[in-house]
Amino acid sequence: MKEITPKADIQIAVLVDEKTLLLFGWIDRALPTSGTASFSEGSAAGSYDGHFWHRDEVSQWFVALLRFDNIAQIRPQRLSITGADRGTRYAIPAIQNIKINPWTLLSTLKEDMPEAMPVVFDFLHAKLGEAGPSERVTRLMLAFLQAMAQPDGFAEIFGCMTGLGALVQGWSFSLAAGERDLIVETDGCLTFPSTVGSFERSDLPSTARGVLGVLHGADALDLPAIRRIYHKAAKGWCYLEIFENRTLLTDRSAVPHLRAMLPTLTGEPAVLRALKRLSNAQYEGFETISRLELPVRVGLDTAVRVPGAGTLVTGWVLDPDRHVSSITLKGIGLSARFDQDWCRTNRRDVSEAFAADALFAGRIVPGQDAHGFLAFVPEPAACAEQPERYLELSLSDDSCAFVPVPTSRATAPALRRLLSAVNLNDPAAETIISRHIGPLVQAAGRTPVASEITVPAYAMGTAAEAPRLSVVIPVADGRDDIDVTLAKLAVDRDFDGTEIVIAAGAAAHERLSPSLRRFADFYGLSIRLIPCPHAHDAYQAMDEGVRHAASDMLLLLSPSVLPTGAGWLSKLERAYKACGRTGMLSPTLLYEDYSIRFAGIQRISADSAVSQYAGYSRDWLKGREITAVQAASTDCALIPRAAFLEAGGFSRDFVGSDYKGVDFCLKLRAAGHACLWLPTVELIALDEGPRDQAQEYWLQTGGLVDRWGFERKWPRLHSTHTLGSVDR
């Protein structure tokens, strides 16, 4: 890499905040406007942004921002800057002194170079506002504005237009009609893109005009707290003062006021059209589509929402003449157009229902039935918990129509109904899943279920004061009892001093409770029954059981896995201690004909996660020792409770259970633990399927969702088909 040492003088170096250093000075050439920066050879690099403008015939003024995580601890030293093309490194002279107070820059510019203040401010405003300014940055920006902005008029009327923004009206000498960025000063300062129109006022000087603007996204702004409104004009930064007897319009009167002012406003046609559209865009709480004289109708099927993530909306739009220009989902804190990214579906029933309607007669083309739609609409994480939602349809005549959108929670039944409605034969099925259904399912899986944290536990049989091991057995299907499993454990002395945690999902605890009490008393077992009403598969039940386990060491055991004899647990425990690694250890699992069912998984992809030697004779395992594998079996596994919790337990962002086991192994290994297989211990794994959900259609759709989610979660597997890169 070529290195250049330009002549430069860093006149000011000041800490803007804990991670940002600002430089001001001159240099004999313009450098790249962005790139990386470092303070010594081999040191950590930070980001760099710069701006340069003419100083004299041989030099440039410059202002630059450096961002480092530990920038407050640096010592003045030589600075290296590399542009985005990484072809040249510029060695800047050492920084002599770093000021802590950022107002050093402001005072220096104000006294010595007032003409540079707007240049520096515009650069800071563009770069520091990208990631949300800190409190110190906000104070500095306000100080710049207050020092350089000139008075330019008054703001006299304010109004909140829920879902649309804030209305501001007053007068100005230099605020021109058009699309403008307005900076609002309250306790801080916020920038809002705004649409501004102007109008004549007889009470003003000939050089001034009335102005009316809508600040987009400002409907939550505290209007009485506004102190000034800043705008950039040809002569520099200016501000509107706040009229002492300002008028505050109510939420319901602001839009009618805008509508009444429209005939007086002047500006570019696009600006006036935007203001007209806003004046027609206030939702009043009821549906207005049915009142339209245009051939446009809308119907909603469902709207399922995950707060802070988004809403999946399904329904149909009948618009044969294409009068609808956009469709937006709106509410407090949300305005998201989705008709550009929705998936259309055939709805022949809609075509048939309106075929005889006079408004649509002759307009619906036979065979063109793609009226349905499905769209996942993301929302900001800070959206209100229970907001009012509605659809806004912008029409070709600049009017708007509205449809209320009552939302429901993304519960398991709601998700199953959605999955059941997806046509797997539709060519767009994979697109529907990747863009819309998948994001909703994963967001729903990440939502905690508060009621699961406080489920009770029922102790049965002999109490174990400090069990050395907790055996966690999940029951989440129609199984009536687990008597064979309990009998096998009861006659094995390896299980003396252990507790058995039965995690029973889907109301199974009510069926199991009588028999568990009987077996606990008969065999002298220590049993804890954990009801898991929200557990819809064995993994969710097991996850809850682990969190109620009393021991630091766990044995995860499916009721479908049966020992062939006694003493196998102690072999697992000895092998685990001898290997010297933390993680999960599984034995060999055999089919009922004693062929191999599980002997460790060494290759995983979204297409396949099959055990090595599956279907082979057990003789293939003779002489083999404990082995590190890519994935162990959660049907029977020894694992420390701490390692299980560190990996985060079983993921809830899968519909079915096919990927949950290997996903847990990947998370366990990513946390620095191992997956191990012990060939010398063998148990029988009965070939059982889910007893309540066999062949249900939603599970087929869910399988496609889970495959998409697995590939998205572990992209390196999709490209390499191995897991070596996951290990730490």
Side-chain angles (χ1 to χ4, degrees):
M1 181 185 297
K2 182 172 67 173
E3 182 168 298
I4 296 177
T5 305
K7 294 181 180 179
D9 180 14
I10 300 176
Q11 298 178 350
I12 300 173
V14 59
L15 281 175
V16 177
D17 58 24
E18 292 79 2
K19 296 183 178 181
T20 310
L21 181 66
L22 185 146
L23 307 179
F24 176 80
W26 63 265
I27 194 168
D28 67 355
R29 70 193 67 199
L31 304 185
T33 56
S34 64
T36 59
S38 58
F39 283 101
S40 61
E41 191 70 31
S43 65
S47 66
Y48 151 82
D49 290 290
H51 179 71
F52 301 83
W53 68 100
H54 180 73
R55 177 177 180 246
D56 54 36
E57 294 181 357
V58 295
S59 64
Q60 302 268 333
W61 290 112
F62 76 90
V63 59
L65 289 172
L66 309 180
R67 294 181 178 90
F68 288 80
D69 286 339
N70 61 341
I71 202 163
Q73 282 76 47
I74 67 168
R75 297 179 179 178
Q77 53 190 305
R78 193 174 185 83
L79 172 66
S80 294
I81 292 174
T82 305
D85 60 0
R86 310 187 72 82
T88 304
R89 180 169 57 227
Y90 299 89
I92 308 301
I95 301 172
Q96 297 301 320
N97 189 17
I98 296 177
K99 302 291 186 181
I100 302 298
N101 189 339
W103 281 265
T104 301
L105 171 68
L106 179 64
S107 59
T108 301
L109 293 178
K110 187 175 181 179
E111 293 175 8
D112 301 334
M113 294 183 60
E115 70 280 1
M117 290 184 67
V119 180
V120 175
F121 173 79
D122 289 348
F123 172 75
L124 296 179
H125 184 231
K127 297 302 179 181
L128 293 179
E130 292 175 351
S134 65
E135 184 178 349
R136 291 183 65 183
V137 169
T138 297
R139 292 202 305 268
L140 179 62
M141 306 292 275
L142 275 177
F144 261 93
L145 286 169
Q146 292 164 356
M148 68 182 181
Q150 301 298 315
D152 189 56
F154 281 87
E156 302 163 328
I157 300 175
F158 297 85
C160 174
M161 303 188 298
T162 301
L164 305 177
L167 179 142
V168 176
Q169 181 178 325
W171 63 270
S172 169
F173 289 101
S174 57
L175 178 56
E179 300 294 337
R180 303 281 180 259
D181 280 342
L182 300 182
I183 301 178
V184 178
E185 176 185 343
T186 55
D187 289 336
C189 66
L190 295 170
T191 303
F192 296 99
S194 307
T195 303
V196 179
S198 61
F199 58 95
E200 295 290 342
R201 278 181 53 171
S202 59
D203 60 331
L204 297 177
S206 59
T207 54
R209 289 178 62 84
V211 291
L212 183 148
V214 176
L215 283 60
H216 305 297
D219 41 328
L221 188 63
D222 184 5
L223 300 181
I226 296 177
R227 298 169 184 167
R228 283 181 178 178
I229 298 177
Y230 298 91
H231 65 94
K232 190 174 183 181
K235 62 180 181 180
W237 282 94
C238 304
Y239 66 87
L240 304 182
E241 296 188 61
I242 308 305
F243 189 58
E244 184 178 0
N245 296 319
R246 73 188 82 176
T247 300
L248 295 176
L249 301 175
T250 64
D251 186 36
R252 293 301 183 188
S253 61
V255 171
H257 178 82
L258 171 61
R259 192 177 299 125
M261 289 294 298
L262 282 176
T264 69
L265 297 179
T266 60
E268 294 293 329
V271 170
L272 297 180
R273 187 173 181 179
L275 291 172
K276 180 181 178 182
R277 186 176 294 113
L278 287 168
S279 73
N280 293 320
Q282 186 171 56
Y283 174 61
E284 297 182 357
F286 51 84
E287 174 269 325
T288 61
I289 293 287
S290 60
R291 302 178 182 181
L292 294 176
E293 297 181 0
L294 297 172
V296 175
R297 293 296 182 266
V298 175
L300 289 181
D301 295 328
T302 186
V304 178
R305 178 176 179 245
V306 178
T311 303
L312 183 80
V313 186
T314 67
W316 54 267
V317 176
L318 186 59
D319 179 27
D321 292 347
R322 302 183 183 275
H323 288 289
V324 179
S325 58
S326 67
I327 303 178
T328 305
L329 181 65
K330 288 195 170 185
I332 297 176
L334 175 68
S335 179
R337 181 178 177 181
F338 64 86
D339 59 299
Q340 296 173 313
D341 192 41
W342 60 7
C343 280
R344 302 309 302 266
T345 57
N346 285 327
R347 290 294 299 267
R348 187 176 178 182
D349 59 319
V350 175
S351 297
E352 293 173 348
F354 286 89
D357 190 302
L359 193 61
F360 293 89
R363 301 177 187 272
I364 302 175
V365 179
Q368 295 185 8
D369 303 318
H371 313 304
F373 70 86
L374 180 147
F376 179 71
V377 186
E379 67 181 42
C383 259
E385 180 69 16
Q386 294 182 334
E388 186 177 34
R389 294 274 190 264
Y390 60 93
L391 295 186
E392 176 190 285
L393 281 73
S394 297
L395 303 174
S396 55
D397 62 356
D398 290 334
S399 64
C400 294
F402 304 98
V403 181
V405 180
T407 61
S408 60
R409 287 277 189 170
T411 59
L415 293 179
R416 290 177 184 178
R417 286 192 296 271
L418 282 173
L419 293 170
S420 298
V422 176
N423 181 6
L424 292 177
N425 296 321
D426 188 334
E430 289 194 5
T431 301
I432 289 173
I433 286 169
S434 63
R435 289 187 183 178
H436 306 289
I437 300 287
L440 177 80
V441 170
Q442 288 207 327
R446 292 190 292 267
T447 303
V449 181
S451 59
E452 292 187 357
I453 301 173
T454 57
V455 295
Y458 300 99
M460 302 176 182
T462 305
E465 294 296 332
R468 65 177 180 81
L469 180 80
S470 294
V471 184
V472 181
I473 303 176
V475 180
D477 53 21
R479 191 182 304 271
D480 293 325
D481 56 56
I482 51 172
D483 55 337
V484 176
T485 300
L486 295 179
K488 290 281 188 179
L489 302 185
V491 298
D492 190 341
R493 296 189 62 181
D494 278 3
F495 289 87
D496 291 348
T498 66
E499 69 164 355
I500 300 173
V501 179
I502 309 294
H509 67 284
E510 296 178 355
R511 301 192 308 272
L512 294 174
S513 180
S515 60
L516 289 179
R517 288 191 181 278
R518 187 170 63 254
F519 279 110
D521 294 336
F522 181 78
Y523 289 116
L525 298 173
S526 174
I527 294 179
R528 299 177 72 203
L529 175 61
I530 313 298
C532 309
H534 296 280
H536 299 285
D537 60 35
Y539 291 97
Q540 291 181 10
M542 199 183 310
D543 203 73
E544 191 62 52
V546 167
R547 297 175 197 281
H548 282 78
S551 175
D552 294 332
M553 183 60 74
L554 309 172
L555 176 68
L556 310 181
L557 184 63
S558 167
S560 300
V561 173
L562 298 176
T564 57
W568 59 274
L569 175 60
S570 57
K571 294 178 183 178
L572 279 179
E573 292 176 314
R574 287 195 297 270
Y576 183 85
K577 292 177 182 177
C579 77
R581 303 178 70 179
T582 63
M584 183 164 66
L585 172 64
S586 291
T588 299
L589 301 181
L590 305 175
Y591 288 105
E592 294 173 75
D593 63 357
Y594 288 95
S595 62
I596 298 170
R597 178 170 190 154
F598 177 85
I601 296 175
Q602 289 289 19
R603 292 176 65 86
I604 297 178
S605 72
D607 301 308
S608 176
V610 179
S611 167
Q612 58 185 345
Y613 311 120
Y616 284 45
S617 167
R618 64 198 290 197
D619 294 337
W620 280 75
L621 306 181
K622 288 183 178 178
R624 296 184 181 273
E625 301 294 333
I626 188 170
T627 305
V629 291
Q630 306 290 3
S633 173
T634 54
D635 284 344
C636 183
L638 198 66
I639 182 174
R641 186 172 184 270
F644 183 95
L645 297 178
E646 185 180 351
F650 298 108
S651 297
R652 302 181 63 92
D653 49 5
F654 293 102
V655 176
S657 57
D658 290 347
Y659 291 91
K660 288 187 176 180
V662 291
D663 174 77
F664 175 75
C665 291
L666 289 172
K667 295 196 301 178
L668 186 69
R669 294 176 55 222
H673 303 290
C675 289
L676 305 165
W677 161 57
L678 185 62
T680 55
V681 175
E682 299 175 346
L683 291 87
I684 298 294
L686 303 179
D687 195 6
E688 294 185 343
R691 303 188 180 197
D692 295 336
Q693 301 172 349
Q695 306 305 315
E696 289 196 36
Y697 183 82
W698 67 268
L699 283 174
Q700 299 177 47
T701 311
L704 291 181
V705 173
D706 287 348
R707 173 177 174 150
W708 166 83
F710 187 81
E711 290 179 345
R712 185 168 177 261
K713 190 173 185 178
W714 304 103
R716 284 176 289 179
L717 292 181
H718 186 54
S719 59
T720 65
H721 294 281
T722 65
L723 293 181
S725 60
V726 178
D727 282 324
R728 288 184 175 178

